[in-house]
Amino acid sequence: MAISGYFRLAGEAGSIAPMKRLLVLALLTWCLVSAARAETVSQTFANADSYVGETRDGVFHGQGTYTWGMGNKYVGEFENDKMHGQGTFTFDSGDEYVGQMKEGKFHGQGTYTWSGGLKFTGEWVENHKWNGTVYSQFGTVTGTFAKGKWHSAL
């Protein structure tokens, strides 16, 4: 039977309406299955770390907060059990990184502020300051990073 015969048997000769209905039904089914796999959890681990947030298929995926027993904390996006996307990482020392993460590392645009007020704003590549500016606690430029190399302004 030709495809055009299928549409005639469906009662709408020459129409693609049955195929549209089938596609909509498949999309709705996929949405329901995906929603069933995603959930929000609150977990505390044996090492005193904790996670509150979204999971998918049993892994951290979506928005969440991971707190280490030693005091560090990450609030932001997760993908496949790793910090990935936009987030804020606060260290127990008071230092803070706000920016993009990729597979658990500072990667992309971000700002790292040390507890004493010194600040780096710019691009990160796999946890390394790559291109950007370092400011003193008073807002003056103390130097820059270009392709990972430090250049002092003093």
Side-chain angles (χ1 to χ4, degrees):
M1 173 187 319
I3 291 177
S4 62
Y6 167 77
F7 290 116
R8 276 194 292 275
L9 287 175
E12 298 179 19
S15 172
I16 61 167
M19 185 59 82
K20 284 183 182 178
R21 277 191 230 112
L22 182 62
L23 289 173
V24 168
L25 180 60
L27 179 62
L28 289 172
T29 302
W30 178 83
C31 288
L32 290 172
V33 169
S34 293
R37 294 186 322 206
E39 62 180 325
T40 301
V41 300
S42 178
Q43 296 176 298
T44 300
F45 304 98
N47 64 356
D49 292 0
S50 64
Y51 177 77
V52 176
E54 298 172 336
T55 63
R56 180 183 292 161
D57 295 329
V59 298
F60 307 152
H61 197 93
Q63 291 293 318
T65 299
Y66 193 98
T67 306
W68 284 261
M70 64 182 181
N72 294 345
K73 182 178 188 176
Y74 173 76
V75 178
E77 296 175 274
F78 287 84
E79 185 175 293
N80 296 320
D81 260 357
K82 294 182 180 176
M83 299 174 289
H84 192 91
Q86 190 68 27
T88 300
F89 193 107
T90 306
F91 294 85
D92 64 341
S93 65
D95 294 359
E96 182 177 77
Y97 172 82
V98 177
Q100 296 171 324
M101 305 288 285
K102 182 179 178 185
E103 296 181 357
K105 297 178 180 178
F106 303 160
H107 193 91
Q109 293 299 311
T111 298
Y112 190 104
T113 306
W114 286 266
S115 60
L118 195 65
K119 180 186 295 190
F120 170 80
T121 299
E123 180 185 8
W124 292 77
V125 175
E126 295 188 351
N127 281 346
H128 298 285
K129 296 177 232 39
W130 196 251
N131 290 312
T133 306
V134 177
Y135 300 93
S136 74
Q137 63 270 33
F138 307 109
T140 57
V141 174
T142 61
T144 61
F145 277 86
K147 294 184 180 178
K149 304 276 189 222
W150 168 250
H151 301 279
S152 178
L154 303 176

